[in-house]
Every structure is written in C-alpha cells, then in structure tokens.
C-alpha cells in the first residue's frame, strides 16, 4: 500500500520513500498515438447525453485507424452512434506511483457498423467485458488524435 504525503511516496513495505519530481510531458506523434492505443484494450468514450457530457468505460480494438467498440441497443452511446455523433475516445497507461505513462485522445465521429460481414468479424475480434448481449458494433473514426507521454522517475 502506498500513500502520498507532501511530495513523498510513503510505503508500508519497508521500502525507501521516493521523492516525486515533476514529469516532462512529451507530445506523441500520430503514429505513436495509434501504436499505443492499439497496445491496450480498455478506454473511455465521451459523448453527449441529454445535453450533458457522459463517459463510459469500454473495451476496444483498433482496425485500420478506427476504434471499434461493441454495445447494446439500450446504451446511450448506441443511439448517439446511430446518428453519427462526435465523440472523444481516451485510453492510457499511467503509473500512479511513479507518475509516468501515456494518454491518448481521439476525437471524431461514432457510427454504427451496418455491414453484416464487418459486424461478424468484429464480434469475433472483440469479446465484451460485461455479461450483456452486445449486439451493436460502433466504429469511431477520429478526425484527429493526440497524446502525451509523462517521462522521468524518482530520485
């Protein structure tokens, strides 16, 4: 177990406390963003629901510079995708102890996948994490993708 006290990581495992230093934030290239996004399977989709921002954790696959997620008919994101709404998708791999890692944000249009062959393919590639019938496939086609890497370590 770890706790943070005035810039110092305090541990309960007889470890030497580490002094946290500010991290350098390095902008990622578009290619790095896609590579990192494809290296994880969990992210968050941000969309508008009843005129308010909404966010949902989802698992994904990356296919031909599109982010693919599965959902069900009653999900708020499904109705947004049916209309071709603008969404953001965020995924990251951050170390809360070391304050290092990366974060990628993709902004673009979410649409329901309609082609039966594509739906069948994505149903094979993407197993939902929740025990619900995920009968819709959503494709997010980013217009732009940005990211940042936090680098550095404790002294």
């Amino acid at each position: 177990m770890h706790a943070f006290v005035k810039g110092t990581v305090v541990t309960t495992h007889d470890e030497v406390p580490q002094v946290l230093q500010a991290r350098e934030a390095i902008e990622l290239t578009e290619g790095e963003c896609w590579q990192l996004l494809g290296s994880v399977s969990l992210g968050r989709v941000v969309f508008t629901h009843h005129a308010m921002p909404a966010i949902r954790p989802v698992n994904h696959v990356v296919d031909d510079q599109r982010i693919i997620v599965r959902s069900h008919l009653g999900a708020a994101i499904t109705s947004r995708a049916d209309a071709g709404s603008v969404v953001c998708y965020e995924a990251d791999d951050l170390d809360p102890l070391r304050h290092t890692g990366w974060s990628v944000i993709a902004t673009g249009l979410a649409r329901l996948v309609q082609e039966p062959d594509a739906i069948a393919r994505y149903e094979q590639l993407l197993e939902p994490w929740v025990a619900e019938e995920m009968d819709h496939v959503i494709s997010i086609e980013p217009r732009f993708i940005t990211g940042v890497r936090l680098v550095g370590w404790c002294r």
Side-chain angles (χ1 to χ4, degrees):
M1 185 162 121
H2 304 282
F4 299 99
V5 179
K6 294 185 181 180
T8 301
V9 178
V10 180
T11 68
T12 59
H13 302 296
D14 296 327
E15 297 175 14
V16 177
Q18 301 290 317
V19 177
L20 298 176
Q21 301 296 314
R23 301 290 167 253
E24 181 181 1
I26 299 173
E27 252 185 79
L28 299 170
T29 66
E30 182 177 340
E32 289 170 321
C33 288
W34 281 111
Q35 181 180 17
L36 290 169
L37 188 58
S39 74
V40 295
S41 61
L42 182 67
R44 288 153 295 282
V45 62
V46 181
F47 57 97
T48 303
H49 184 61
H50 298 298
M52 299 295 288
I55 187 166
R56 301 289 186 276
V58 293
N59 62 314
H60 71 269
V61 294
V62 173
D63 185 42
D64 195 27
Q65 294 196 335
R66 289 176 297 165
I67 302 156
I68 307 297
V69 300
R70 291 178 61 191
S71 189
H72 59 87
L73 184 57
I77 185 62
T78 302
S79 62
R80 302 281 100 47
D82 192 30
S85 292
V86 173
V87 300
C88 285
Y89 192 82
E90 191 268 344
D92 54 46
D93 185 9
L94 299 169
D95 182 326
L97 181 61
R98 294 183 175 116
H99 296 189
T100 58
W102 58 266
S103 179
V104 169
I105 298 174
T107 304
L109 293 177
R111 293 192 174 101
L112 289 179
V113 175
Q114 302 291 341
E115 303 80 27
D117 290 345
I119 292 170
R121 180 172 171 262
Y122 292 133
E123 286 175 345
Q124 292 297 314
L125 287 175
L126 184 58
E127 183 69 30
W129 286 16
V130 296
E132 282 190 50
E133 179 69 27
M134 297 294 181
D135 52 0
H136 287 74
V137 177
I138 299 169
S139 172
I140 301 170
E141 300 175 31
R143 297 290 191 244
F144 53 91
I145 185 169
T146 61
V148 64
R149 182 184 307 272
L150 299 173
V151 296
W153 179 226
C154 303
R155 62 178 169 139

